[in-house]
Every structure is written in structure tokens, then in C-alpha cells.
Amino acid sequence: SGALSMWGDRMWHFAISVFLIELYGRNLLLTAVFGLVLAGSVLLLGALIGDWVDRNPRNKVAHASLFIQNTSVTVCSIVLMLVFSYKEQIELIWDGWFTVICYTVVIILADVANLASTALTIAIQRDWIVVITGYNRGHLAGMNATMRRIDQVTNILAPLAVGQVMTLASNVVGCGFILAWNLFSLIVEFFFLSRVYRIVPALSVKPPTVEGDQEYLERSERRGLQGMGFLWNAALFSASVFTENEKKQNCYNVLKFTCMDGWRAYYRQPVFLAGLGLAFLYTTVLGFDCITTGYAYTQGISGSLLSLLMGVSAITGLMGTVMFTRLRKSVGLVNTGIISSCLHLGCLLLCVCSVFAPGSPIDLSLLMPYFSSGSSAEPGGMASKRQKHTYPLSGGSNQPLLPDRSSIHWTNNTVLFDNVPSGTAPDSYISIILLFLGVITARIGLWCFDLTVTQLLQETICESERGVVNGVQSSMNYLMDLLHFIMVISAPQPQHFGILVIISVIFITTGHSMYFLYAHRAKRKHRLET
């Protein structure tokens, strides 16, 4: 079930980005809006999604999330097929405003699918597998590693599969392929999840949430929120009739305090620093996303070589999952995180070296304004010499930006970089070699660390708060990912990329430092208890 779900997610995330680019005349505006909507919605609603997962039976949460996700993708695929087939006619309706409506519908449906996917991921990968493994730490580590391996493989193969369909046939056929896959996957996943739910009786048992409602009522009364405690109690346990304004106000306050309580629950967790450290790792350009691969393309690296490097990075990611299971057995979970953090940071030093290596296009005048006027006045200065290694991007300096780092956007680089000159190359490839050598080898430590923090969250968070805390963790991840795109928007030129690398390493170092602090506290607590 997990493999089918991940395969569908990877296909959809890749395809929707390409579809939006094609719809808007190979411009990245729609894709950027889509990315911001996705990040903003999970950031705002992550705690509510997690709270919903906690408060409802596991089978109903899984089935509802699965149905909403696949139905949204199916309807969105139908809309896209109609838009691609009748685009010229649609553009004539209402002076083009009907086209805007279609784009809005597509983005909203895709966002709903992503929210449902987030709920399903929290339910299955953060809750179900903990219960299925019987809270056995060794089995849980193996299950987490297996799920991550499946994710790594589908991250490569699924976009390639749908990309081939779209290339050999058309976008309409690609939409039809995704539509058929989601209908098939919905039925099979529904059957598999129902089967697992019947096989594992413990999944049908969840801690009651009425106590939590009573705590909320008492806390509201203590805060002096007039009428709020009464409204909350009546909304949950009676059928009293309110006016429309009272209902809206009650709903707003319930949602607000659900979010606030979710963030408080996240903050008071013993693994808060570890989770926050993991979120900091999302503020980086040092990954195989559209930004890094787009930068490599401007440095003369071909799309075929980028695809090969992407495959190698997937292999090193799988190596990280193997290292996680073995290290956890030999040195323990907390020490596994320390070792993987050191390995991750050590490999990223190669990326820092690439910033100052021969062939790097970095313009240090951005860091030293004092010298900026002098370097600009000398045509043969360092900045102008370094800039000869970069190529202008078609459509503006912000061209490489794409919103979803989990998709393999490099497969459509030929679309995004039409005007990159062929046959030219930088004077030295040392910088780009060091960059990708660091990024690829760092995947081992990165995925090992990710699995470590994931299992710490699973083992430490109490069952009644597992959903809401993981929902807030998803919100934090998206928040830090948003910062990563703001960084690139602020410094979009290839000459700025070296500065982005340095900032990324600073964020990553900060994240690992938070984990080191958590590990120190956890070990000290363990010594005191023993």
C-alpha cells in the first residue's frame, strides 16, 4: 500500500509541475504560486490535520484521506485534460477569465490532494507502523528503513515512467495515465489498508479524546474567555442552536486554540530540539532539487549527466538506510543521530570548498560592498572573470525556481533552459565536481539522520498526541522550505549560488547543533535515571 501511494505521489508531484509550466506558456509563475499554496496550507493547517488524525478511528482516517487524495487528483486530471484539449476555446470565454478560473480550480484540487496526502502519511508512517511493529524498536527501525527505501526507488522510477508517457504521447495522455493509476490505486490501497486493519487488532484501539476536550474547557475558563468554554462544551455534547455569527465565532476559536495547543504540544515534547533540528535541514539548496540542478545546467552540465548523478544520489540514500539499521543496533538510536550528523556535515564541507574552487562563478563583491565599486569599474576584475563561467537563463533570472523539492524537475530542463549555449564549457569543472561530490555523499548521513529523528518522534510521542505533533513537524518542515525559496528569490543569479551554499551550511549546522544539544540532555537524563 505504501509503495502504491508513494508511486502515485511522485508521479503526480512531477506531472503537475510540468503541466502548470505548459499551461502558462512555459512560464514558472503558476508553478511558483502552486508551491506557495502547498507550503502555506500545510504550514497553517498542519496542526489541525494532525489533531483530526488523533481524534478519529485509524481506519476512518486512512480511508478518508486516501479517498480525498485520489479523488482530488482524478478530478484535477479531468480538468487538465479538458484545458489541454480545448485551451484555445477556453481562452475566449469571459475575456480569458475562465482560464484563470480553471487554473485556480487545478491548484485548489492539487492542494487538497496534498493535504490529504499529508494526513495519510502521518496516519500510516507515523502511527500505524508503530502499532503494527508492536512498539518493538528493532522492528520499527527496519520498517522505517524499508519505507524510506521504497520512497527512494519511487522517487526515481515514478517520474521517469510518467515522463516517458508524456514525451512519447502527449500531456492529455499523461493526464489520462495518472487518472487511471489513481482509480486503480484507490481500490487496491483501500483493500490493503482494510486487510492490515483486520490483521492487527491493536489498530482499532485508540486513547480517548474526551479528557482532552475537558482539559480544553477548563483551560478556556481559566483564561477568562467569556462564553468560550460553554460554546465548546455545547458544540461537542449537545444539540443547542446558535445564531450564524455565534457558530462562526465558535468555529474560529476552536480552530485557533486547536492550532495553539498543537504547537504547545510540539514544544513540550522531549524530542522538540531533534525535530526542530530536522526542520532546519530543509533550508538548503544542497539537494537534487530544481535549483541545484538548474545551477549545474548553467555551468555546462548536460541533462543526461544530471540524470546519472540523480541515480547515484538515490543509491547513496539507500546506503544511508542500511547504515541506520546497523548503527542503531550497535551504538543505539541517539548515538546513530550523532554519527550521521557528523558524517553529513563532513561531506558538506566539500560543497563549501566548491564555492572557492576554480570554476566557481561566485561574486564576492556581494559579501564585500566596499569592493563592489572597484570590481565593477575593472572589466578584467575577479567578478568579470568568474562570470564568464555562467550562462544567461531564458525568461529571467528567477527561472530555476520550482516549488516542490520532492519531485525530479531536472527531467524537463530542456524546457526551462532553451537558450543555454551548447558547446561551451567553464574553464574548470573542479567547483561543480566538488559540489556534487559533497551533495551525493552527504545523502548517506542525511537519510540516516532523518530516519533517526523520525524514530525518536515515533518512540517518544504519546499515542494521543502522535498526529498533532507530527502535523506541526510537517508545518515546520514546510516553513523552513519556504525560507529556502525566499533565499533563492533574493539571490537568483548563478553568481549568488555560492552565497546560498554557505547560508545553507549554516542552517544545516544549526539544525545538527540542536540535535547535539538534545542528545546531551537525553544522555544526562539517562545517567541520572540509572
Side-chain angles (χ1 to χ4, degrees), residues 31 48 58 62 77-78 99 204 237 257 304 316 390 394 419 440:
T31 316
L48 292 175
R58 289 188 173 97
S77 298
I78 294 174
T99 304
S204 60
F237 305 112
F257 285 108
S304 59
T316 57
T390 64
S394 61
N419 296 333
I440 290 174

Side-chain angles (χ1 to χ4, degrees), residues 2 69 97 119 137 168 192 290 339 384-385 444 456 470 525:
Q69 179 191 9
W97 283 104
R137 295 184 176 183
L168 298 176
F192 284 166
C290 52
I339 295 173
S384 60
K385 286 182 180 179
I444 301 175
L456 284 171
N470 280 285
K525 180 180 179 181

Side-chain angles (χ1 to χ4, degrees), residues 68-94:
I68 294 172
Q69 179 191 9
N70 287 44
T71 302
S72 299
V73 173
T74 300
V75 176
C76 190
S77 298
I78 294 174
V79 175
L80 285 169
M81 291 175 69
L82 295 174
V83 173
F84 279 125
S85 301
Y86 305 101
K87 186 176 182 180
E88 295 181 357
Q89 293 88 329
I90 291 175
E91 289 176 347
L92 299 177
I93 301 176
W94 298 344

Side-chain angles (χ1 to χ4, degrees), residues 458-520:
Q458 291 169 330
E459 293 181 1
T460 309
I461 302 170
C462 65
E463 189 173 357
S464 62
E465 293 182 331
R466 198 173 286 155
V468 68
V469 172
N470 280 285
V472 175
Q473 181 67 48
S474 298
S475 298
M476 285 298 305
N477 295 345
Y478 271 92
L479 173 61
M480 303 310 291
D481 200 25
L482 271 179
L483 293 180
H484 138 266
F485 281 108
I486 293 173
M487 278 173 21
V488 182
I489 292 172
S490 302
Q493 295 285 359
Q495 295 92 329
H496 306 157
F497 191 79
I499 300 173
L500 299 181
V501 169
I502 295 173
I503 296 175
S504 298
V505 172
I506 292 174
F507 269 95
I508 293 172
T509 303
T510 303
H512 286 305
S513 299
M514 291 179 181
Y515 180 82
F516 293 149
L517 180 58
Y518 158 76
H520 172 71

Side-chain angles (χ1 to χ4, degrees), residues 254-270:
V254 168
L255 294 177
K256 181 177 70 173
F257 285 108
T258 298
C259 291
M260 292 173 61
D261 289 344
W263 283 89
R264 290 194 186 97
Y266 178 73
Y267 176 74
R268 68 171 178 262
Q269 296 301 317

